[in-house]
Amino acid sequence: MDSPIRGTADVIYVLGGGVRSTRSHLKRAAALYHQGVSKKILYFHRDGDTVRDWGLGRVISRDAWVVRQLVDLGVPVSDTEAVPVMEGFWGTYSEAEAVALLLAKRNQKSLVLVTSPHHTKRVRQSFAYFFQGQGVSILVGGSDDKAYLRELLMEHVKLRVYSLFLLRG
């Protein structure tokens, strides 16, 4: 992880995940936002994703839940944006591709990625692969999300698979 994160970036991107880990990621992203690291927080979007919001007592879209979390953390709605990610088996890879296309379209050259600490190596490698030769500065910030042994083992396997089959050349 790049910690502490210094300087500024065009955007902060919060990677997808379960409710528990996403909540931790959003807290970290909001803290970076309030430190002045970036004025824009992007987040993972996939059509049809929903979350049970216990505060509202009903199921809402994941996007609405994310924005609600960020607003509760003091981030204005206008400073948040969903990044559509195509449905796919390789989640982090798909997210890296979607964010790289968006930043290239906007000619943005720096981003901070927020994910789980045990996920940072694969995130860094995936995003570096898609930004190769584009002069984009990438910083990776881990949230305070915790992992169980099973998750750590799965991450190790995924990292090996990504390295062997997806992130070549």
Side-chain angles (χ1 to χ4, degrees):
M1 289 185 298
D2 300 310
S3 191
I5 304 241
R6 299 188 197 291
T8 61
D10 292 321
V11 297
I12 297 168
Y13 177 72
V14 178
L15 280 92
V19 169
R20 180 180 54 89
S21 62
T22 300
R23 188 176 284 119
S24 293
H25 303 348
L26 294 170
K27 286 179 185 173
R28 173 79 160 137
L32 292 168
Y33 172 89
H34 291 301
Q35 290 169 17
V37 170
S38 180
K39 300 237 181 270
K40 191 71 161 180
I41 298 177
L42 308 178
Y43 59 90
F44 170 84
H45 164 83
R46 187 173 49 224
D47 288 340
D49 278 0
T50 59
V51 173
R52 174 115 183 123
D53 188 308
W54 294 100
L56 295 175
R58 61 186 169 96
V59 174
I60 61 174
S61 74
R62 184 179 188 282
D63 288 359
W65 180 81
V66 166
V67 170
R68 225 171 105 81
Q69 298 297 309
L70 288 169
V71 166
D72 287 350
L73 293 165
V75 178
V77 174
S78 60
D79 292 344
T80 69
E81 181 183 346
V83 176
V85 177
M86 297 301 293
E87 187 80 31
F89 184 75
W90 308 106
T92 301
Y93 185 87
S94 298
E95 284 186 81
E97 183 176 33
V99 171
L101 289 171
L102 180 68
L103 266 63
K105 205 180 295 184
R106 295 179 179 177
N107 198 31
Q108 293 177 313
K109 296 294 183 186
S110 58
L111 80 154
V112 174
L113 303 166
V114 179
T115 189
S116 301
H118 60 279
H119 192 208
T120 56
K121 187 171 185 175
R122 183 162 51 102
V123 165
R124 181 184 306 282
Q125 289 177 356
S126 296
F127 279 78
Y129 176 79
F130 282 102
F131 283 112
Q132 201 168 19
Q134 294 181 32
V136 175
S137 169
I138 302 169
L139 295 172
V140 182
S143 67
D144 64 358
D145 188 27
K146 305 288 185 247
Y148 296 102
L149 179 59
R150 180 176 183 267
E151 292 171 289
L152 296 174
L153 293 172
M154 282 303 299
E155 184 58 31
H156 178 74
V157 169
K158 288 177 181 180
L159 181 58
R160 300 284 296 161
V161 169
Y162 270 53
S163 296
L164 290 171
F165 299 107
L166 296 175
L167 306 176
R168 300 175 59 106

